[in-house]
Amino acid sequence: MTDLGQGPALVADRECGECALCCILPDIDVLDKPANIRCGHCLSGGGCDAYDARPATCRDFFCLWRTDESLSEEWEPSRAHMMLYEQGPQLTVLVDPAFPDAWRQPPYAEALQARAAALKTRGGYVVVFVGDAVTVMAG
Ligand code: SF4
Ligand code: SF4
């Protein structure tokens, strides 16, 4: 993932806590970080040891759970074992490879299918990455 994008307004009273999935699951070109490898700056328990110097890619990014209040607490990434983010009409889902079937389980499967159906009306879709496996949900 080259550009994780600009983050819109954050949902109030929602914090990253000990979640660090966005520092693990995506590839981050500017850091030469491959997908599904923990960034070398990632602190155990959450946080970044290069926080003040972290690249804009990190600085500007928040996953969809941090910005979309319609995603309930069960979508908290470290609980759901997946992180979501939007790229235009595409909803990208990066699943923790240690929990490869998480996105196929309720309530996630039904909710992602509903999102795919809604995105289809504007030419979008949901794409799910689990390691090297890619699934497109076209609605
Ligand atoms: S995946 Fe979301 S909740 Fe987790 S650390 Fe990143 S922005 Fe925070
Ligand atoms: S530099 Fe910091 S914020 Fe960016 S991926 Fe690494 S640990 Fe996360």
Side-chain angles (χ1 to χ4, degrees):
M1 174 167 25
T2 302
D3 182 4
L4 288 169
Q6 288 287 134
L10 299 177
V11 177
D13 300 322
R14 193 172 278 187
E15 303 288 345
C16 292
E18 295 188 357
C19 178
L21 284 191
C22 60
C23 303
I24 300 170
L25 300 184
D27 67 287
I28 303 177
D29 291 351
V30 69
L31 294 171
D32 286 328
K33 192 196 87 58
N36 301 309
I37 300 291
R38 179 179 287 265
C39 174
H41 294 295
C42 199
L43 298 169
S44 63
C48 172
D49 74 5
Y51 189 79
D52 291 336
R54 71 198 190 286
T57 300
C58 303
R59 194 176 296 273
D60 295 337
F61 179 76
F62 290 96
C63 73
L64 198 61
W65 180 74
R66 291 295 312 272
T67 61
D68 183 346
E69 61 187 350
S70 75
L71 291 179
S72 59
E73 289 304 308
E74 62 205 358
W75 285 94
E76 190 278 314
S78 64
R79 175 175 169 182
H81 305 300
M82 68 189 94
M83 57 170 276
L84 281 56
Y85 63 95
E86 292 178 322
Q87 292 173 299
Q90 174 180 317
L91 175 64
T92 299
V93 182
L94 302 185
V95 180
D96 183 345
F99 301 87
D101 294 325
W103 67 285
R104 298 183 187 277
Q105 310 287 334
Y108 306 109
E110 295 83 353
L112 291 174
Q113 192 59 55
R115 291 234 172 199
L119 287 168
K120 186 177 182 180
T121 65
R122 50 190 183 101
Y125 51 88
V126 174
V127 59
V128 181
F129 293 86
V130 187
D132 292 333
V134 184
T135 302
V136 176
M137 303 172 71

